[in-house]
Amino acid sequence: MYRHFGEVDAAETSPLYERVAVALSESDEALRAIEAAPARKRHPTVILAALHDLALAGRAPALAAAYAAADGDAAAEAAIDTLLRMTDSVVSIAVRRQTRANETGRCAVLYPAIAEAARRVGAHAVGLIDVGCSAGFNLNADRVGITYDNGQSLGDASSPVQLSSSIVGGRPVPTRAMPEVVARVGVDLDPVDVTDADDARWLRACLWPDQPDQPDQPDRVARLEAEMALAATAPPLLLQGDAVEVLPDAFARVPADALPVVTTTWALSHFSLERRLRFLHRLDEAAAGRAVAWVSAEGVGVAPAIPTLGDRRASGHSIIGLAVFNQSALRAEAIGRCWSQGRLLAWLADS
């Protein structure tokens, strides 16, 4: 697993992690230390993030120095040394934490979809409920600036967080503004509070230390810092627990005169089919007294009730779904496709 991660997954994007992962794969002592973690927590991304967290915390200075110098050989030696000396700490971090992708390109998908949901219901205010929220960056969809490569823009042009997305196909995204957001509620088994120093450091640790920037992905560290600073100015309400169980409490936090909009972005793939159907039932239950909207960006066939447009599963793109629950009525449709966590977007809905 570690050799494959280094030689395949990290080979073209992170020379440091390529070298470190291969070195770990060749060290019997290191592999035995990794086996101290539960099987589900032995993946390279988890262990490497735990090591990175120790480096950022000042507890593994040699590893931190090797990462700062982009010295692969020194990083490999320091990673093995840190793992062997601090096995208990590495395992403790790995067990307690979930790796975080922190891809905010998904806001380029969420903003127009949430605005479309409000238009269909005639809502003048919305309450956002993000399932699988991590640090709740999706809940700031209206507070970031979004520029599409066809010249369109949405959101706050003066925001410190600016995102870009490319339009696929000839149909532009609707440019109506999202209505006022009166509630921001995140739901996660392990939510991340950006105002907590340990949580904020973990988000930084999940970034690969030398992953180069790409034309459509500017400085990831600077962007993450800007996102955390923005979130810290108005921290969302974070509810910890299983989404199916916590959703009723989340709906109760949205004022009666606002449209609750539940968002899921690549979260339901972690649910069993039974839990996905129970999730759908929760939305239906909440709609007994008022309209409820659900905006999803999930793999083909993952989101129940959302049409697949005839696309095949594992086809490399995701379906953008919009479902509106209004008492006993459900209107669900696929309003677009997206790729690369929202960096490519094809809008399909008539608006």
Side-chain angles (χ1 to χ4, degrees):
M1 183 195 301
Y2 275 76
R3 179 173 294 279
H4 182 274
F5 178 84
E7 295 180 346
V8 178
D9 297 338
E12 295 184 0
T13 56
S14 176
L16 279 178
Y17 271 4
E18 176 186 12
R19 183 70 188 90
V20 170
V22 170
L24 291 173
S25 78
E26 295 173 343
S27 169
D28 291 339
E29 288 182 300
L31 294 177
R32 280 195 294 272
I34 292 168
E35 286 179 347
R40 63 188 176 85
K41 292 293 189 174
R42 297 173 188 168
H43 192 275
T45 56
V46 181
I47 298 299
L48 290 172
L51 288 167
H52 194 192
D53 186 74
L54 291 172
L56 292 173
R59 299 173 62 189
L63 183 58
Y67 280 163
D71 186 333
D73 290 337
E77 181 179 349
I80 292 174
D81 177 68
T82 302
L83 178 60
L84 297 182
R85 286 189 304 102
M86 307 179 70
T87 301
D88 290 347
S89 295
V90 173
V91 171
S92 175
I93 295 169
V95 168
R96 184 165 54 95
R97 295 294 193 181
Q98 304 286 333
T99 53
R100 303 297 182 176
N102 303 314
E103 293 285 357
T104 54
R106 55 192 75 183
C107 286
V109 169
L110 291 176
Y111 190 109
I114 294 169
E116 177 65 14
R119 182 192 72 83
R120 295 187 179 188
V121 176
H124 299 291
V126 297
L128 302 181
I129 301 172
D130 189 45
V131 172
C133 67
S134 182
F137 293 157
N138 284 353
L139 296 166
N140 286 322
D142 61 316
R143 302 178 68 209
V144 305
I146 307 163
T147 302
Y148 300 92
D149 68 344
N150 64 354
Q152 292 182 285
S153 61
L154 290 170
D156 183 357
S158 64
S159 172
V161 179
Q162 295 294 318
L163 311 175
S164 61
S165 181
S166 298
I167 298 296
V168 176
R171 180 170 294 184
V173 297
T175 55
R176 69 179 56 86
M178 189 188 302
E180 180 185 6
V181 179
V182 296
R184 305 175 197 269
V185 184
V187 177
D188 201 292
L189 288 172
D190 180 29
V192 177
D193 179 1
V194 298
T195 66
D196 179 88
D198 289 344
D199 281 5
R201 187 181 65 249
W202 176 248
L203 290 180
R204 298 182 181 101
C206 288
L207 292 179
W208 296 10
D210 66 332
Q211 199 163 48
D213 301 322
Q214 300 173 15
D216 61 342
Q217 300 175 62
D219 189 333
R220 296 181 179 193
V221 174
R223 187 176 65 186
L224 176 60
E225 295 298 333
E227 289 161 354
M228 290 196 293
L230 180 65
T233 62
L237 173 64
L238 300 175
L239 301 179
Q240 183 173 13
D242 179 273
V244 174
E245 305 304 325
V246 174
L247 269 176
D249 186 17
F251 281 116
R253 308 304 180 103
V254 179
D257 58 350
L259 170 69
V261 181
V262 177
T263 56
T264 65
T265 54
W266 300 281
L268 296 188
S269 59
H270 301 290
F271 289 27
S272 66
L273 176 58
E274 178 187 5
R275 288 185 63 228
R276 281 180 244 164
L277 295 175
R278 289 180 61 204
F279 166 80
L280 193 69
H281 183 62
R282 282 290 193 220
L283 302 182
D284 189 51
E285 287 179 331
R290 58 174 169 177
V292 169
W294 169 35
V295 170
S296 60
E298 304 284 353
V300 177
V302 171
I306 302 299
T308 61
L309 304 173
D311 299 346
R312 294 185 298 174
R313 292 177 182 267
S315 55
H317 68 272
S318 299
I319 300 289
I320 306 165
L322 172 57
V324 175
F325 302 76
N326 201 342
Q327 296 182 351
S328 61
L330 166 62
R331 180 186 175 189
E333 66 179 276
I335 60 173
R337 296 183 178 94
C338 65
W339 296 257
S340 300
Q341 303 285 307
R343 285 188 288 273
L344 297 167
L345 167 63
W347 189 264
L348 304 176
D350 295 323
S351 302

PDB file of all heavy atoms in Angstrom, residues 12-33:
ATOM      1  N   GLU A  12       3.744  12.133  -9.044  1.00  0.00           N
ATOM      2  CA  GLU A  12       3.759  13.320  -9.906  1.00  0.00           C
ATOM      3  C   GLU A  12       3.405  14.599  -9.164  1.00  0.00           C
ATOM      4  O   GLU A  12       3.538  15.686  -9.731  1.00  0.00           O
ATOM      5  CB  GLU A  12       2.791  13.117 -11.077  1.00  0.00           C
ATOM      6  CG  GLU A  12       3.200  11.985 -12.012  1.00  0.00           C
ATOM      7  CD  GLU A  12       2.277  11.880 -13.213  1.00  0.00           C
ATOM      8  OE1 GLU A  12       1.337  12.697 -13.302  1.00  0.00           O
ATOM      9  OE2 GLU A  12       2.485  10.973 -14.035  1.00  0.00           O
ATOM     10  N   THR A  13       2.936  14.481  -7.921  1.00  0.00           N
ATOM     11  CA  THR A  13       2.470  15.671  -7.227  1.00  0.00           C
ATOM     12  C   THR A  13       3.257  16.009  -5.966  1.00  0.00           C
ATOM     13  O   THR A  13       3.252  17.159  -5.531  1.00  0.00           O
ATOM     14  CB  THR A  13       0.987  15.531  -6.848  1.00  0.00           C
ATOM     15  OG1 THR A  13       0.816  14.330  -6.067  1.00  0.00           O
ATOM     16  CG2 THR A  13       0.110  15.454  -8.081  1.00  0.00           C
ATOM     17  N   SER A  14       3.912  15.034  -5.372  1.00  0.00           N
ATOM     18  CA  SER A  14       4.614  15.304  -4.125  1.00  0.00           C
ATOM     19  C   SER A  14       5.883  14.472  -4.026  1.00  0.00           C
ATOM     20  O   SER A  14       5.864  13.349  -3.518  1.00  0.00           O
ATOM     21  CB  SER A  14       3.710  15.017  -2.912  1.00  0.00           C
ATOM     22  OG  SER A  14       4.420  15.193  -1.706  1.00  0.00           O
ATOM     23  N   PRO A  15       7.020  14.983  -4.491  1.00  0.00           N
ATOM     24  CA  PRO A  15       8.285  14.245  -4.367  1.00  0.00           C
ATOM     25  C   PRO A  15       8.616  13.878  -2.926  1.00  0.00           C
ATOM     26  O   PRO A  15       9.192  12.815  -2.672  1.00  0.00           O
ATOM     27  CB  PRO A  15       9.313  15.226  -4.948  1.00  0.00           C
ATOM     28  CG  PRO A  15       8.523  16.089  -5.892  1.00  0.00           C
ATOM     29  CD  PRO A  15       7.174  16.248  -5.243  1.00  0.00           C
ATOM     30  N   LEU A  16       8.248  14.747  -1.978  1.00  0.00           N
ATOM     31  CA  LEU A  16       8.525  14.439  -0.580  1.00  0.00           C
ATOM     32  C   LEU A  16       7.744  13.205  -0.129  1.00  0.00           C
ATOM     33  O   LEU A  16       8.321  12.274   0.456  1.00  0.00           O
ATOM     34  CB  LEU A  16       8.160  15.634   0.310  1.00  0.00           C
ATOM     35  CG  LEU A  16       9.177  16.775   0.398  1.00  0.00           C
ATOM     36  CD1 LEU A  16       8.625  17.887   1.271  1.00  0.00           C
ATOM     37  CD2 LEU A  16      10.498  16.286   0.958  1.00  0.00           C
ATOM     38  N   TYR A  17       6.440  13.202  -0.386  1.00  0.00           N
ATOM     39  CA  TYR A  17       5.634  12.069   0.052  1.00  0.00           C
ATOM     40  C   TYR A  17       5.969  10.813  -0.745  1.00  0.00           C
ATOM     41  O   TYR A  17       5.839   9.703  -0.235  1.00  0.00           O
ATOM     42  CB  TYR A  17       4.151  12.410  -0.037  1.00  0.00           C
ATOM     43  CG  TYR A  17       3.599  13.054   1.221  1.00  0.00           C
ATOM     44  CD1 TYR A  17       4.441  13.356   2.284  1.00  0.00           C
ATOM     45  CD2 TYR A  17       2.240  13.342   1.353  1.00  0.00           C
ATOM     46  CE1 TYR A  17       3.953  13.953   3.431  1.00  0.00           C
ATOM     47  CE2 TYR A  17       1.740  13.923   2.504  1.00  0.00           C
ATOM     48  CZ  TYR A  17       2.589  14.225   3.547  1.00  0.00           C
ATOM     49  OH  TYR A  17       2.105  14.788   4.700  1.00  0.00           O
ATOM     50  N   GLU A  18       6.395  10.975  -1.989  1.00  0.00           N
ATOM     51  CA  GLU A  18       6.844   9.809  -2.751  1.00  0.00           C
ATOM     52  C   GLU A  18       8.022   9.154  -2.041  1.00  0.00           C
ATOM     53  O   GLU A  18       8.031   7.929  -1.810  1.00  0.00           O
ATOM     54  CB  GLU A  18       7.246  10.226  -4.163  1.00  0.00           C
ATOM     55  CG  GLU A  18       7.817   9.072  -4.991  1.00  0.00           C
ATOM     56  CD  GLU A  18       8.336   9.524  -6.347  1.00  0.00           C
ATOM     57  OE1 GLU A  18       8.475  10.755  -6.566  1.00  0.00           O
ATOM     58  OE2 GLU A  18       8.616   8.642  -7.181  1.00  0.00           O
ATOM     59  N   ARG A  19       8.999   9.961  -1.665  1.00  0.00           N
ATOM     60  CA  ARG A  19      10.197   9.424  -1.024  1.00  0.00           C
ATOM     61  C   ARG A  19       9.874   8.851   0.351  1.00  0.00           C
ATOM     62  O   ARG A  19      10.358   7.770   0.719  1.00  0.00           O
ATOM     63  CB  ARG A  19      11.262  10.530  -0.903  1.00  0.00           C
ATOM     64  CG  ARG A  19      12.577  10.065  -0.308  1.00  0.00           C
ATOM     65  CD  ARG A  19      13.320   9.146  -1.252  1.00  0.00           C
ATOM     66  NE  ARG A  19      14.494   8.544  -0.609  1.00  0.00           N
ATOM     67  CZ  ARG A  19      14.460   7.390   0.058  1.00  0.00           C
ATOM     68  NH1 ARG A  19      13.329   6.716   0.163  1.00  0.00           N
ATOM     69  NH2 ARG A  19      15.558   6.913   0.618  1.00  0.00           N
ATOM     70  N   VAL A  20       9.065   9.573   1.129  1.00  0.00           N
ATOM     71  CA  VAL A  20       8.745   9.120   2.484  1.00  0.00           C
ATOM     72  C   VAL A  20       7.938   7.820   2.444  1.00  0.00           C
ATOM     73  O   VAL A  20       8.224   6.874   3.191  1.00  0.00           O
ATOM     74  CB  VAL A  20       7.965  10.210   3.247  1.00  0.00           C
ATOM     75  CG1 VAL A  20       7.412   9.660   4.561  1.00  0.00           C
ATOM     76  CG2 VAL A  20       8.863  11.410   3.522  1.00  0.00           C
ATOM     77  N   ALA A  21       6.929   7.750   1.581  1.00  0.00           N
ATOM     78  CA  ALA A  21       6.078   6.558   1.529  1.00  0.00           C
ATOM     79  C   ALA A  21       6.872   5.327   1.105  1.00  0.00           C
ATOM     80  O   ALA A  21       6.706   4.234   1.666  1.00  0.00           O
ATOM     81  CB  ALA A  21       4.902   6.796   0.576  1.00  0.00           C
ATOM     82  N   VAL A  22       7.750   5.478   0.126  1.00  0.00           N
ATOM     83  CA  VAL A  22       8.557   4.340  -0.318  1.00  0.00           C
ATOM     84  C   VAL A  22       9.505   3.902   0.797  1.00  0.00           C
ATOM     85  O   VAL A  22       9.697   2.698   1.043  1.00  0.00           O
ATOM     86  CB  VAL A  22       9.334   4.690  -1.606  1.00  0.00           C
ATOM     87  CG1 VAL A  22      10.351   3.600  -1.933  1.00  0.00           C
ATOM     88  CG2 VAL A  22       8.363   4.871  -2.773  1.00  0.00           C
ATOM     89  N   ALA A  23      10.081   4.879   1.504  1.00  0.00           N
ATOM     90  CA  ALA A  23      10.982   4.537   2.607  1.00  0.00           C
ATOM     91  C   ALA A  23      10.233   3.779   3.702  1.00  0.00           C
ATOM     92  O   ALA A  23      10.753   2.800   4.265  1.00  0.00           O
ATOM     93  CB  ALA A  23      11.622   5.807   3.173  1.00  0.00           C
ATOM     94  N   LEU A  24       9.028   4.210   4.008  1.00  0.00           N
ATOM     95  CA  LEU A  24       8.225   3.500   5.008  1.00  0.00           C
ATOM     96  C   LEU A  24       7.931   2.074   4.550  1.00  0.00           C
ATOM     97  O   LEU A  24       7.953   1.133   5.347  1.00  0.00           O
ATOM     98  CB  LEU A  24       6.918   4.249   5.268  1.00  0.00           C
ATOM     99  CG  LEU A  24       7.031   5.594   5.998  1.00  0.00           C
ATOM    100  CD1 LEU A  24       5.695   6.304   6.026  1.00  0.00           C
ATOM    101  CD2 LEU A  24       7.554   5.401   7.413  1.00  0.00           C
ATOM    102  N   SER A  25       7.680   1.916   3.252  1.00  0.00           N
ATOM    103  CA  SER A  25       7.359   0.582   2.729  1.00  0.00           C
ATOM    104  C   SER A  25       8.543  -0.365   2.823  1.00  0.00           C
ATOM    105  O   SER A  25       8.367  -1.591   2.832  1.00  0.00           O
ATOM    106  CB  SER A  25       6.894   0.687   1.266  1.00  0.00           C
ATOM    107  OG  SER A  25       7.988   0.847   0.380  1.00  0.00           O
ATOM    108  N   GLU A  26       9.756   0.190   2.900  1.00  0.00           N
ATOM    109  CA  GLU A  26      10.971  -0.635   2.926  1.00  0.00           C
ATOM    110  C   GLU A  26      11.503  -0.864   4.337  1.00  0.00           C
ATOM    111  O   GLU A  26      12.516  -1.531   4.514  1.00  0.00           O
ATOM    112  CB  GLU A  26      12.052   0.037   2.066  1.00  0.00           C
ATOM    113  CG  GLU A  26      11.679   0.109   0.584  1.00  0.00           C
ATOM    114  CD  GLU A  26      12.660   0.927  -0.237  1.00  0.00           C
ATOM    115  OE1 GLU A  26      13.438   1.696   0.391  1.00  0.00           O
ATOM    116  OE2 GLU A  26      12.638   0.818  -1.473  1.00  0.00           O
ATOM    117  N   SER A  27      10.815  -0.296   5.333  1.00  0.00           N
ATOM    118  CA  SER A  27      11.257  -0.422   6.718  1.00  0.00           C
ATOM    119  C   SER A  27      10.316  -1.354   7.483  1.00  0.00           C
ATOM    120  O   SER A  27       9.171  -1.011   7.749  1.00  0.00           O
ATOM    121  CB  SER A  27      11.288   0.951   7.404  1.00  0.00           C
ATOM    122  OG  SER A  27      11.463   0.804   8.804  1.00  0.00           O
ATOM    123  N   ASP A  28      10.823  -2.528   7.842  1.00  0.00           N
ATOM    124  CA  ASP A  28      10.006  -3.464   8.615  1.00  0.00           C
ATOM    125  C   ASP A  28       9.591  -2.863   9.955  1.00  0.00           C
ATOM    126  O   ASP A  28       8.458  -3.062  10.418  1.00  0.00           O
ATOM    127  CB  ASP A  28      10.773  -4.769   8.851  1.00  0.00           C
ATOM    128  CG  ASP A  28      10.974  -5.571   7.581  1.00  0.00           C
ATOM    129  OD1 ASP A  28      10.211  -5.340   6.617  1.00  0.00           O
ATOM    130  OD2 ASP A  28      11.879  -6.417   7.540  1.00  0.00           O
ATOM    131  N   GLU A  29      10.502  -2.111  10.576  1.00  0.00           N
ATOM    132  CA  GLU A  29      10.182  -1.490  11.871  1.00  0.00           C
ATOM    133  C   GLU A  29       9.056  -0.473  11.718  1.00  0.00           C
ATOM    134  O   GLU A  29       8.139  -0.410  12.541  1.00  0.00           O
ATOM    135  CB  GLU A  29      11.417  -0.808  12.453  1.00  0.00           C
ATOM    136  CG  GLU A  29      12.480  -1.762  12.959  1.00  0.00           C
ATOM    137  CD  GLU A  29      13.648  -0.995  13.555  1.00  0.00           C
ATOM    138  OE1 GLU A  29      14.258  -0.201  12.811  1.00  0.00           O
ATOM    139  OE2 GLU A  29      13.931  -1.173  14.746  1.00  0.00           O
ATOM    140  N   ALA A  30       9.129   0.333  10.666  1.00  0.00           N
ATOM    141  CA  ALA A  30       8.096   1.339  10.432  1.00  0.00           C
ATOM    142  C   ALA A  30       6.741   0.679  10.174  1.00  0.00           C
ATOM    143  O   ALA A  30       5.704   1.123  10.685  1.00  0.00           O
ATOM    144  CB  ALA A  30       8.482   2.242   9.266  1.00  0.00           C
ATOM    145  N   LEU A  31       6.739  -0.375   9.387  1.00  0.00           N
ATOM    146  CA  LEU A  31       5.478  -1.060   9.082  1.00  0.00           C
ATOM    147  C   LEU A  31       4.880  -1.696  10.333  1.00  0.00           C
ATOM    148  O   LEU A  31       3.664  -1.694  10.516  1.00  0.00           O
ATOM    149  CB  LEU A  31       5.702  -2.110   7.992  1.00  0.00           C
ATOM    150  CG  LEU A  31       6.084  -1.555   6.615  1.00  0.00           C
ATOM    151  CD1 LEU A  31       6.347  -2.694   5.648  1.00  0.00           C
ATOM    152  CD2 LEU A  31       4.995  -0.639   6.074  1.00  0.00           C
ATOM    153  N   ARG A  32       5.731  -2.227  11.201  1.00  0.00           N
ATOM    154  CA  ARG A  32       5.217  -2.779  12.458  1.00  0.00           C
ATOM    155  C   ARG A  32       4.612  -1.672  13.320  1.00  0.00           C
ATOM    156  O   ARG A  32       3.595  -1.876  13.991  1.00  0.00           O
ATOM    157  CB  ARG A  32       6.332  -3.501  13.213  1.00  0.00           C
ATOM    158  CG  ARG A  32       6.609  -4.911  12.698  1.00  0.00           C
ATOM    159  CD  ARG A  32       7.440  -5.716  13.694  1.00  0.00           C
ATOM    160  NE  ARG A  32       8.782  -5.170  13.843  1.00  0.00           N
ATOM    161  CZ  ARG A  32       9.815  -5.515  13.077  1.00  0.00           C
ATOM    162  NH1 ARG A  32       9.650  -6.405  12.110  1.00  0.00           N
ATOM    163  NH2 ARG A  32      10.999  -4.983  13.272  1.00  0.00           N
ATOM    164  N   ALA A  33       5.239  -0.491  13.318  1.00  0.00           N
ATOM    165  CA  ALA A  33       4.694   0.637  14.087  1.00  0.00           C
ATOM    166  C   ALA A  33       3.333   1.049  13.525  1.00  0.00           C
ATOM    167  O   ALA A  33       2.395   1.334  14.281  1.00  0.00           O
ATOM    168  CB  ALA A  33       5.675   1.806  14.057  1.00  0.00           C
TER     169      ALA A  33
END
